[in-house]
Amino acid sequence: MSFNTFGHLFRVTTWGESHGPAIGATVDGCPPGVALSEADLQPWLDRRKPGTSKFTTQRKEPDQVRILSGVFEGRTTGTPIQLMIENTDQRSKDYGDIAQAFRPGHADITYHQKYGVRDYRGGGRSSARETASRVAAGGVARAVLAALVPGLRISGYMMQMGPKAIDRSRFDAAVIEGNPFWCPDPVAAADWAVYLDELRLAHNSVGAVIEVVAEGVPAGLGAPLYAKLDSDLASAMMSINAVKAVEIGDGMAAACLTGVENADEIRMGATGPEFLSNHAGGILGGISTGQPVVCRFAVKPTSSILTPRRTINQRGEEVDLITKGRHDPCVGIRAVPVGEAMMACVLLDHLLMDRAQTGGQRGPIGS
Amino acid sequence: MSFNTFGHLFRVTTWGESHGPAIGATVDGCPPGVALSEADLQPWLDRRKPGTSKFTTQRKEPDQVRILSGVFEGRTTGTPIQLMIENTDQRSKDYGDIAQAFRPGHADITYHQKYGVRDYRGGGRSSARETASRVAAGGVARAVLAALVPGLRISGYMMQMGPKAIDRSRFDAAVIEGNPFWCPDPVAAADWAVYLDELRLAHNSVGAVIEVVAEGVPAGLGAPLYAKLDSDLASAMMSINAVKAVEIGDGMAAACLTGVENADEIRMGATGPEFLSNHAGGILGGISTGQPVVCRFAVKPTSSILTPRRTINQRGEEVDLITKGRHDPCVGIRAVPVGEAMMACVLLDHLLMDRAQTGGQRGPIGS
Amino acid sequence: MSFNTFGHLFRVTTWGESHGPAIGATVDGCPPGVALSEADLQPWLDRRKPGTSKFTTQRKEPDQVRILSGVFEGRTTGTPIQLMIENTDQRSKDYGDIAQAFRPGHADITYHQKYGVRDYRGGGRSSARETASRVAAGGVARAVLAALVPGLRISGYMMQMGPKAIDRSRFDAAVIEGNPFWCPDPVAAADWAVYLDELRLAHNSVGAVIEVVAEGVPAGLGAPLYAKLDSDLASAMMSINAVKAVEIGDGMAAACLTGVENADEIRMGATGPEFLSNHAGGILGGISTGQPVVCRFAVKPTSSILTPRRTINQRGEEVDLITKGRHDPCVGIRAVPVGEAMMACVLLDHLLMDRAQTGGQRGPIGS
Amino acid sequence: MSFNTFGHLFRVTTWGESHGPAIGATVDGCPPGVALSEADLQPWLDRRKPGTSKFTTQRKEPDQVRILSGVFEGRTTGTPIQLMIENTDQRSKDYGDIAQAFRPGHADITYHQKYGVRDYRGGGRSSARETASRVAAGGVARAVLAALVPGLRISGYMMQMGPKAIDRSRFDAAVIEGNPFWCPDPVAAADWAVYLDELRLAHNSVGAVIEVVAEGVPAGLGAPLYAKLDSDLASAMMSINAVKAVEIGDGMAAACLTGVENADEIRMGATGPEFLSNHAGGILGGISTGQPVVCRFAVKPTSSILTPRRTINQRGEEVDLITKGRHDPCVGIRAVPVGEAMMACVLLDHLLMDRAQTGGQRGPIGS
């Protein structure tokens, strides 16, 4: 888990800049013999693809993924899988203004200070475009999980746009794919459409909260103490561009609970332990309980906006900067498939680590 | 960063169980030539030590740390530093009830399911006692940071106990060390004392929010995309027992901001860039800006309480469980020095990674 | 250092199969600001390229390397460098015979047993073609070393072909590049040409010994005890296809020495310690001494030969196998630039690790 | 695999100096539920223990190992196992002469140059005493292997002392434990006793070659390309103090073979493939074949000798140095149990990696 590589055993190294010839991911450690083709990956990429509504960047990228290695006659071979996505719609001329000036709230200044050189075109390496590589790699993880843990289901959706949260009582999984926000509350979705349009026209942007839930996760995934399942999820989600917070289960609200309230009581079900609540978000002591794994994260508003903001340039001059180019008014929208992809990668990685150490056997209860 | 090791280059491997002969940390990758003795580490351990007030566990542990290797004639040698803390006040008889039954909200059940065997005495490896090892290792990191970055200061405090948050307008750093809660608001501290005493007598416990701030962090620490400074902080803090959420800068509240509000505008100061606000918490694109690094985390309430909760045992029988033994009514209190220790470890680790890759040089601004 | 990634901080992940669309290397952790272009890498690839003489495989591959990321306006940016080499001359029909049968001495059988599926075309992932990716990555390492340690020089050559060793008294660095064997002894080179031609026509192949020497390596690179410079060199060289042994300094012959003979005595020179001999091969206790780092490795003969050998196929049938296709009669020849590339990668990796831990400062002698 | 940690999943971090209070190993990633006690480890330590004959150092160390964590009620818990061995017979006064002067052939000078400070007492961290920690960790690996792969047997012995090699035709496994050299040739053992005694009395020392063989290793362990089984063995053996070369199978001699000779032909046996020879040393393409894994390594002569050698000291003064203290005239002898321990650690590590990636399933042959 270092620099541009994510994962312990299922290891994803992403590479590429927003306006270079291509981006991609090198996936190492994939189990062999799993059916995989480009057609299995493309649908996930299509969900994250820019330009699908007026609420995402108008850059036109087909985001066509190619598998260059590691798959033979339709099955993974256990060797590295190279996933490449060519960049086709780079308009580098849009970015002249930020070649020298640093966008407030953006990585421009820190990349410059650390490296002394940066590919400023579209944010270069720090562009959210990198997340396409994660989604591709997540597609590989999903294919493996489907083979190894057939009942596992990962689902992401947006919980909140700016200050506007969904009403959980209206939660309807069926509507998530039916609106441009992956919103499970149809009333909120309609409200957000108006709200975001106003912001967009006002040359502004806004943050969001995304929730990703994995159901059917076997008990026993995770490890103490620095490879906890929740520790790795926190690292995974916080590594996504613009994320500023990660919660597991009740998250920040857990601070408000008493021990009596927080205890997820346990009863004996037909096939094993059953929990009467899930404040823990499916993880105790860093190890999965078998309940749904629940993870939320907050995405800050897009920094690239058409409203002028005060900043400096490389020469140390104070300037006012408007960021032209094509940007998402709410980058949180496209973070939904990215969060799902990271969840898939983390779960598969921990599944492999678990079968390494324990062989996949579980301590018996009641038998 | 795997299983029981934390860090990329400054690597801390903790070991030991709550009721075994000793616990400790193996610290590898420490820079050589840094003045270090047991006397440098002990004060940090004393801050975390149990039994210092009625608000923490009454277990009496001197938490005396011994340096078994890696230091010669008062200086680090660059070889592994073994830190050992003997356990002296183990009352294993307290734990008969949980040898078979699983405490709700606790790692008992997941350790059993994953490993098939667990040291149930005091929670074994999942005990918060492990955090003493982190504090010792953090003391080593602090000594190195003091030598390499003299102006760096790390400060932790409690922001919220249960639903009771501090009033930031009353923030007074001087009172933090003067109350048993590391609370920077003297009014809140007094209020919490009454509140927690009631909870304790009611055989209950409560959660908390801790904030850790590092000032004087040089710009340029961190790396894209999976070794971001914030990604590693998230992993570090989430790895602490009972933590359920991690925030950087504005954290979850960043979701509510617009891009106009969120932009930390930049002006040119006497010695370099100056930011007019710090919504980012000192980190942009995973790399430090030079502003204070601000990290918060939520700790859930202690699971071991004297109020009976419904659960099952290893035989699959449904039981009601009261957890005897000596427990913290608000385990968040002692998480303050632990959070500081993790911050120190993360910052030093990134300082070493930065000088590996860049040699510590910074891209110039305005010169 | 796991699966398909080499290195601790300068990390090279190679990917690709002999007969897939492309092969390549993802280089992470590269220092920023180093001048780099495809033209800097191509000469190293040209040295390893097949088909340059009748003594190497007749496969025609231009081995043109493309840089897809991590370089901007002619300088490294510190982000991952993706190096891609397209495969252009795949004649997969040559490999029908080995789709089912396992070549003796080859990885066919072990890949099948481990993964259950293998890309048999040209050996797939186990093909020596993978080493082109190493040479490309080594070119990046060389460019960085040239910037950071200007005096450092890496030179590889063949010491022995089959039983025919060079005569060290005829060693002439100037002839190395002038014969198809990278042989520093002109008499041996002429002898080998006849010998290898006979073997080739007899449908046979032969092994070799390669030596790689790095001069100008600063003292102090390496680390105890499992990241020793020699330990990492051993791992690096043994990871090259067909290598069966690695020696440092006197290597196996060190076993025959007495302590009196083996002691590289030290005198004080004008600029620091001077050693009177170099049995150690420039490494003591896993750390470089400042003397030339000397590493040798043995390459076994090519397994793919036109002489029939007894084997089995996937159905368990016993067969006699002739390996058609285009193969090197002495794969050791093309291992010379590969060994140099691995030396470059190891040295740079250790240089970065050293400046991480020590900041590059050296303990003073005599001042 | 970095600095003082060995292994990918079964990770051993050794710590401690020759003359500090204790040395030890932190073993992380151990499978749970394996029977383990100090009594299981002690016999392996007793084999390496100093002072067992006049041919090893006369330092008297009981090398009593204590398990401080990770084992509960006689079984491993899956959490870190801390192994501690107290140092009891430190005579630091012996080492006054080398506090300032650098022993030729020894790590004194490189540790000084790299770290600026070194624990000179008995060589500190670079002492062969560190290998006791490896043997203890290897004992844990053996216990796990015994549980997971019952038929696996690891056996080490000395093949050569100085220029005196054994005669393989006299190889008798039964005599290995019956002489102080772990020599499988009784004639050579007698010869070596006279030879080494003469060297010892002449204040000299000598090198050795050790062979370690593992039988019953399942096919399929190892991975391309930088985590090859042989690559990791090379790294493991080269990390042992004083080792200068590592060979797999025919090793350096493989260079002399033709492809016809080198091909280990395969026939179909009752239970699977059978190889007619084992030039490969049980490894093809970095993956085990199921044949015995054969590894050899050369140990240089002990650098600490009573014969004066020319050197310098920290002040840059040229001096003649005699190394007093208690040293092994042939440190290769005690390297035998160390080589076995490293073999055990590598095999277990790869067994865990294999079941992570493949689940332990094998591609079928003939069924």
Side-chain angles (χ1 to χ4, degrees):
Chain A
M1 202 180 302
S2 52
F3 287 26
N4 296 279
T5 298
F6 184 79
H8 306 264
L9 289 175
F10 183 80
R11 275 182 304 281
V12 175
T13 305
T14 68
W15 55 271
E17 279 82 40
S18 177
H19 285 55
I23 60 171
T26 312
V27 177
D28 197 9
C30 185
V34 176
L36 189 75
S37 72
E38 287 150 0
D40 295 316
L41 303 179
Q42 198 58 49
W44 306 116
L45 282 154
D46 291 346
R47 298 176 83 222
R48 195 215 70 100
K49 196 165 69 173
T52 51
S53 80
K54 65 180 169 183
F55 302 115
T56 60
T57 168
Q58 294 308 300
R59 181 169 170 171
K60 297 289 179 210
E61 284 290 354
D63 276 359
Q64 207 84 38
V65 65
R66 284 188 63 200
I67 296 175
L68 296 184
S69 64
V71 174
F72 183 63
E73 297 181 345
R75 284 194 295 159
T76 60
T77 60
T79 62
I81 300 170
Q82 183 59 253
L83 305 168
M84 185 170 73
I85 301 162
E86 286 181 68
N87 291 324
T88 61
D89 184 24
Q90 311 105 307
R91 288 197 215 147
S92 300
K93 62 176 162 38
D94 288 351
Y95 296 100
D97 289 351
I98 59 167
Q100 290 293 323
F102 307 117
R103 280 168 285 177
H106 197 277
D108 292 336
I109 191 166
T110 52
Y111 270 63
H112 171 73
Q113 289 192 287
K114 183 178 189 80
Y115 300 115
V117 53
R118 69 191 161 97
D119 181 347
Y120 54 79
R121 300 166 305 164
R125 181 68 181 150
S126 70
S127 166
R129 179 138 186 78
E130 182 266 351
T131 59
S133 305
R134 300 176 186 233
V135 170
V140 177
R142 286 195 196 240
V144 180
L145 286 170
L148 297 182
V149 192
L152 196 147
R153 265 193 328 283
I154 295 169
S155 169
Y157 37 86
M158 199 186 284
M159 295 288 295
Q160 187 179 322
M161 178 184 287
K164 298 171 174 287
I166 64 162
D167 178 338
R168 286 230 188 226
S169 70
R170 285 195 296 256
F171 192 105
D172 179 359
V175 308
I176 293 173
E177 308 271 333
N179 64 73
F181 309 113
W182 317 104
C183 176
D185 169 356
V187 178
D191 186 25
W192 295 354
V194 176
Y195 173 64
L196 192 57
D197 220 28
E198 284 168 5
L199 276 168
R200 189 172 60 87
L201 296 172
H203 296 174
N204 210 342
S205 62
V206 75
V209 176
I210 284 90
E211 185 166 279
V212 181
V213 175
E215 293 173 278
V217 176
L221 305 194
L225 268 143
Y226 305 104
K228 285 177 163 177
L229 183 55
D230 35 1
S231 193
D232 279 1
L233 280 172
S235 173
M237 299 310 176
M238 196 67 96
S239 77
I240 300 170
N241 308 50
V243 171
K244 300 302 286 182
V246 183
E247 301 190 311
I248 304 293
D250 281 6
M252 293 305 292
C256 301
L257 295 179
T258 65
V260 168
E261 292 159 347
N262 181 65
D264 294 320
E265 295 184 301
I266 318 174
R267 300 283 79 179
M268 199 61 195
T271 61
E274 279 178 9
F275 294 83
L276 305 185
S277 53
N278 189 15
H279 295 288
I283 303 175
L284 288 173
I287 300 170
S288 62
T289 62
Q291 284 196 288
V293 172
V294 179
C295 182
R296 264 183 316 286
F297 55 90
V299 179
K300 68 178 183 184
T302 314
S303 304
S304 300
I305 49 178
L306 281 162
T307 302
R309 299 278 79 196
R310 288 176 290 173
T311 188
I312 60 174
N313 64 22
Q314 228 162 285
R315 290 183 299 277
E317 297 157 348
E318 302 193 333
V319 295
D320 274 22
L321 186 68
I322 287 173
T323 311
K324 290 174 214 147
R326 300 155 295 174
H327 302 287
D328 293 272
C330 178
V331 75
I333 298 171
R334 294 203 290 139
V336 172
V338 181
E340 291 177 345
M342 296 313 289
M343 175 67 86
C345 290
V346 169
L347 290 177
L348 176 56
D349 194 31
H350 275 275
L351 193 82
L352 300 186
M353 283 200 283
D354 180 66
R355 74 178 183 182
Q357 191 181 15
T358 71
Q361 285 191 300
R362 292 286 86 98
I365 294 178
S367 52
Chain B
M1 203 180 303
S2 54
F3 287 26
N4 296 278
T5 298
F6 183 79
H8 306 264
L9 289 175
F10 182 81
R11 277 182 302 280
V12 175
T13 307
T14 69
W15 54 271
E17 279 82 39
S18 176
H19 285 55
I23 62 173
T26 311
V27 177
D28 197 9
C30 184
V34 176
L36 189 75
S37 72
E38 287 152 0
D40 295 317
L41 304 179
Q42 198 59 47
W44 305 117
L45 282 154
D46 291 346
R47 297 175 84 221
R48 196 214 69 100
K49 195 163 70 172
T52 51
S53 80
K54 65 182 171 184
F55 302 114
T56 59
T57 167
Q58 295 307 300
R59 180 169 170 173
K60 297 292 180 208
E61 282 291 355
D63 276 359
Q64 205 86 38
V65 65
R66 283 187 64 198
I67 297 175
L68 295 184
S69 65
V71 175
F72 183 62
E73 297 181 343
R75 285 194 294 159
T76 59
T77 59
T79 61
I81 300 171
Q82 183 58 254
L83 305 168
M84 183 171 75
I85 300 162
E86 286 180 68
N87 291 324
T88 61
D89 184 24
Q90 312 102 307
R91 289 197 216 146
S92 300
K93 62 178 162 37
D94 288 351
Y95 295 99
D97 289 352
I98 60 168
Q100 290 293 322
F102 307 118
R103 280 169 286 178
H106 197 278
D108 293 336
I109 190 166
T110 51
Y111 270 63
H112 171 74
Q113 288 192 288
K114 183 178 188 80
Y115 299 114
V117 52
R118 68 188 161 100
D119 181 347
Y120 54 80
R121 299 166 307 162
R125 181 67 182 151
S126 71
S127 167
R129 180 140 186 75
E130 184 267 349
T131 59
S133 304
R134 301 176 186 234
V135 171
V140 177
R142 286 195 195 241
V144 179
L145 285 170
L148 297 181
V149 193
L152 195 147
R153 266 194 327 284
I154 295 169
S155 168
Y157 37 85
M158 200 186 282
M159 297 288 295
Q160 188 179 321
M161 179 184 286
K164 295 170 175 288
I166 64 162
D167 179 337
R168 285 230 188 224
S169 71
R170 285 194 298 254
F171 192 104
D172 180 359
V175 308
I176 293 173
E177 307 272 332
N179 64 73
F181 309 113
W182 318 104
C183 177
D185 170 355
V187 178
D191 185 27
W192 294 355
V194 176
Y195 173 64
L196 192 57
D197 219 30
E198 283 169 6
L199 278 167
R200 189 173 60 86
L201 295 172
H203 296 173
N204 210 342
S205 62
V206 77
V209 176
I210 284 91
E211 185 167 279
V212 181
V213 175
E215 293 173 279
V217 177
L221 305 194
L225 268 146
Y226 305 105
K228 285 178 163 176
L229 184 56
D230 37 359
S231 193
D232 279 0
L233 279 172
S235 173
M237 299 310 175
M238 197 66 97
S239 77
I240 301 172
N241 307 53
V243 171
K244 300 303 286 183
V246 182
E247 301 190 312
I248 303 293
D250 280 7
M252 294 304 293
C256 300
L257 296 178
T258 66
V260 170
E261 294 160 345
N262 181 63
D264 295 318
E265 293 184 302
I266 317 176
R267 299 285 79 180
M268 199 60 195
T271 61
E274 279 178 10
F275 294 83
L276 305 184
S277 54
N278 190 15
H279 295 289
I283 303 175
L284 288 173
I287 299 172
S288 61
T289 63
Q291 285 196 288
V293 171
V294 180
C295 182
R296 264 183 315 286
F297 55 91
V299 179
K300 69 178 183 183
T302 314
S303 303
S304 299
I305 49 177
L306 281 161
T307 302
R309 299 278 79 194
R310 287 177 291 173
T311 189
I312 59 173
N313 63 22
Q314 228 163 285
R315 289 182 299 277
E317 297 158 347
E318 303 192 332
V319 295
D320 275 21
L321 186 68
I322 288 173
T323 312
K324 292 174 213 147
R326 299 156 295 173
H327 301 289
D328 293 273
C330 176
V331 74
I333 298 172
R334 295 204 288 139
V336 173
V338 180
E340 291 177 345
M342 296 313 289
M343 174 67 85
C345 290
V346 169
L347 291 177
L348 176 56
D349 194 29
H350 275 275
L351 192 82
L352 301 185
M353 282 200 284
D354 179 66
R355 73 178 184 182
Q357 192 183 13
T358 71
Q361 286 191 299
R362 292 287 85 99
I365 294 179
S367 50
Chain C
M1 202 181 302
S2 54
F3 285 28
N4 295 278
T5 298
F6 184 79
H8 305 265
L9 288 176
F10 183 80
R11 278 182 301 281
V12 175
T13 305
T14 69
W15 55 271
E17 279 83 39
S18 177
H19 285 54
I23 61 171
T26 311
V27 177
D28 196 10
C30 186
V34 176
L36 188 75
S37 71
E38 285 151 1
D40 296 315
L41 303 179
Q42 198 58 48
W44 305 116
L45 282 154
D46 291 346
R47 299 175 81 224
R48 196 214 70 99
K49 194 164 69 173
T52 53
S53 81
K54 66 181 169 185
F55 302 115
T56 59
T57 168
Q58 295 308 298
R59 180 169 171 171
K60 297 291 180 211
E61 282 291 354
D63 276 358
Q64 206 85 38
V65 66
R66 285 187 64 200
I67 297 175
L68 296 184
S69 64
V71 175
F72 182 63
E73 296 180 346
R75 286 193 295 158
T76 59
T77 59
T79 62
I81 301 170
Q82 183 58 253
L83 305 168
M84 184 171 74
I85 301 162
E86 285 181 67
N87 292 323
T88 60
D89 184 24
Q90 312 103 306
R91 289 199 215 143
S92 300
K93 62 177 161 38
D94 288 352
Y95 295 99
D97 289 352
I98 60 167
Q100 289 293 321
F102 308 117
R103 280 168 286 177
H106 198 278
D108 292 336
I109 190 167
T110 52
Y111 269 63
H112 171 74
Q113 289 191 287
K114 184 178 188 81
Y115 299 113
V117 52
R118 68 189 163 97
D119 180 347
Y120 54 79
R121 300 166 306 161
R125 180 70 184 147
S126 70
S127 167
R129 180 141 187 74
E130 181 267 350
T131 60
S133 305
R134 299 175 186 236
V135 171
V140 177
R142 286 195 195 241
V144 179
L145 285 169
L148 297 182
V149 193
L152 195 148
R153 268 196 324 284
I154 295 169
S155 169
Y157 36 86
M158 200 187 281
M159 298 286 297
Q160 188 178 321
M161 179 185 285
K164 295 170 176 288
I166 64 161
D167 179 338
R168 285 230 187 224
S169 70
R170 286 196 296 256
F171 192 105
D172 179 359
V175 309
I176 293 174
E177 306 271 334
N179 65 73
F181 310 113
W182 317 104
C183 177
D185 169 355
V187 179
D191 186 25
W192 294 355
V194 177
Y195 173 66
L196 191 58
D197 221 29
E198 285 169 5
L199 277 168
R200 187 174 60 88
L201 296 171
H203 295 174
N204 210 341
S205 62
V206 76
V209 176
I210 284 89
E211 186 167 279
V212 180
V213 175
E215 293 173 279
V217 177
L221 305 194
L225 267 146
Y226 305 104
K228 285 178 162 177
L229 184 55
D230 36 1
S231 192
D232 278 359
L233 280 171
S235 173
M237 301 308 176
M238 196 66 97
S239 77
I240 301 170
N241 307 50
V243 171
K244 300 303 286 183
V246 182
E247 299 190 315
I248 304 294
D250 282 6
M252 293 305 292
C256 300
L257 296 178
T258 65
V260 169
E261 293 160 347
N262 180 65
D264 295 320
E265 293 184 303
I266 318 174
R267 299 284 79 180
M268 198 60 196
T271 60
E274 280 179 9
F275 294 84
L276 305 184
S277 53
N278 189 14
H279 296 289
I283 303 174
L284 288 173
I287 299 171
S288 62
T289 63
Q291 286 196 287
V293 171
V294 180
C295 182
R296 265 182 316 285
F297 56 90
V299 179
K300 69 177 184 182
T302 314
S303 303
S304 299
I305 50 178
L306 281 161
T307 303
R309 300 277 79 197
R310 290 176 289 174
T311 189
I312 60 174
N313 62 22
Q314 227 163 286
R315 290 182 298 277
E317 298 158 348
E318 302 192 333
V319 296
D320 275 21
L321 187 68
I322 287 173
T323 312
K324 292 175 213 144
R326 300 155 295 174
H327 301 288
D328 293 273
C330 177
V331 74
I333 298 171
R334 294 204 289 139
V336 173
V338 181
E340 291 177 345
M342 295 313 289
M343 175 67 86
C345 290
V346 169
L347 290 177
L348 176 56
D349 194 30
H350 275 276
L351 193 81
L352 300 186
M353 282 199 284
D354 180 66
R355 73 177 182 181
Q357 193 183 13
T358 72
Q361 285 191 301
R362 292 286 84 99
I365 294 180
S367 51
Chain D
M1 203 181 302
S2 55
F3 287 27
N4 294 279
T5 298
F6 183 80
H8 306 264
L9 288 176
F10 183 80
R11 278 182 302 280
V12 176
T13 306
T14 69
W15 54 272
E17 280 82 39
S18 177
H19 285 54
I23 61 172
T26 311
V27 177
D28 196 10
C30 185
V34 176
L36 188 75
S37 72
E38 287 151 0
D40 295 317
L41 305 179
Q42 199 57 48
W44 305 116
L45 282 155
D46 292 346
R47 297 175 83 223
R48 196 214 70 101
K49 193 164 71 173
T52 52
S53 81
K54 65 181 169 184
F55 301 116
T56 59
T57 168
Q58 295 307 298
R59 179 170 171 172
K60 297 291 181 211
E61 283 291 354
D63 276 359
Q64 206 85 38
V65 65
R66 282 187 65 198
I67 297 175
L68 296 185
S69 65
V71 175
F72 183 63
E73 297 181 344
R75 286 194 294 159
T76 59
T77 59
T79 62
I81 301 171
Q82 183 58 253
L83 305 167
M84 183 172 73
I85 301 163
E86 287 181 65
N87 291 323
T88 61
D89 184 24
Q90 312 104 306
R91 289 199 214 144
S92 300
K93 65 177 159 38
D94 288 352
Y95 295 100
D97 289 353
I98 60 167
Q100 289 293 323
F102 307 117
R103 281 168 286 177
H106 197 277
D108 293 336
I109 190 166
T110 51
Y111 270 63
H112 171 74
Q113 289 192 287
K114 184 179 188 81
Y115 299 114
V117 52
R118 68 189 162 99
D119 181 346
Y120 54 78
R121 300 165 306 162
R125 181 68 183 149
S126 70
S127 166
R129 180 140 188 74
E130 182 266 349
T131 59
S133 305
R134 300 176 186 234
V135 171
V140 176
R142 287 196 196 241
V144 179
L145 285 169
L148 297 182
V149 193
L152 195 147
R153 267 195 326 283
I154 296 169
S155 168
Y157 36 86
M158 201 186 280
M159 296 288 295
Q160 189 180 319
M161 178 184 287
K164 295 168 175 290
I166 63 160
D167 180 339
R168 285 231 188 223
S169 71
R170 285 196 297 256
F171 192 104
D172 179 359
V175 308
I176 293 173
E177 306 271 334
N179 64 73
F181 309 113
W182 317 104
C183 177
D185 169 354
V187 178
D191 186 25
W192 294 355
V194 176
Y195 173 65
L196 192 57
D197 220 28
E198 284 169 6
L199 277 168
R200 187 172 61 86
L201 296 172
H203 296 173
N204 210 341
S205 63
V206 76
V209 176
I210 284 88
E211 186 167 280
V212 181
V213 176
E215 293 172 279
V217 177
L221 305 194
L225 267 147
Y226 305 104
K228 283 177 164 179
L229 184 56
D230 35 1
S231 193
D232 278 0
L233 279 172
S235 173
M237 300 308 177
M238 197 65 97
S239 76
I240 300 172
N241 307 52
V243 170
K244 300 302 288 183
V246 183
E247 301 190 313
I248 303 294
D250 281 6
M252 294 304 293
C256 300
L257 296 178
T258 65
V260 169
E261 293 159 348
N262 180 64
D264 295 320
E265 294 184 305
I266 317 174
R267 299 284 80 180
M268 199 59 196
T271 61
E274 279 178 10
F275 295 84
L276 305 183
S277 53
N278 190 13
H279 295 288
I283 303 175
L284 288 172
I287 299 170
S288 63
T289 62
Q291 285 196 287
V293 172
V294 180
C295 182
R296 265 181 316 286
F297 56 90
V299 179
K300 69 178 181 182
T302 315
S303 303
S304 300
I305 49 178
L306 282 161
T307 302
R309 299 278 80 196
R310 289 177 290 174
T311 189
I312 59 173
N313 63 23
Q314 228 162 287
R315 290 181 299 276
E317 298 158 348
E318 302 192 333
V319 295
D320 275 22
L321 187 68
I322 288 174
T323 312
K324 291 175 212 146
R326 299 154 296 174
H327 300 288
D328 294 273
C330 178
V331 73
I333 298 172
R334 294 203 289 141
V336 173
V338 180
E340 292 177 345
M342 296 313 290
M343 176 67 87
C345 289
V346 169
L347 291 177
L348 176 56
D349 194 30
H350 275 276
L351 192 82
L352 300 186
M353 282 200 284
D354 179 67
R355 73 177 182 182
Q357 193 183 14
T358 71
Q361 284 192 301
R362 292 287 83 99
I365 295 179
S367 50

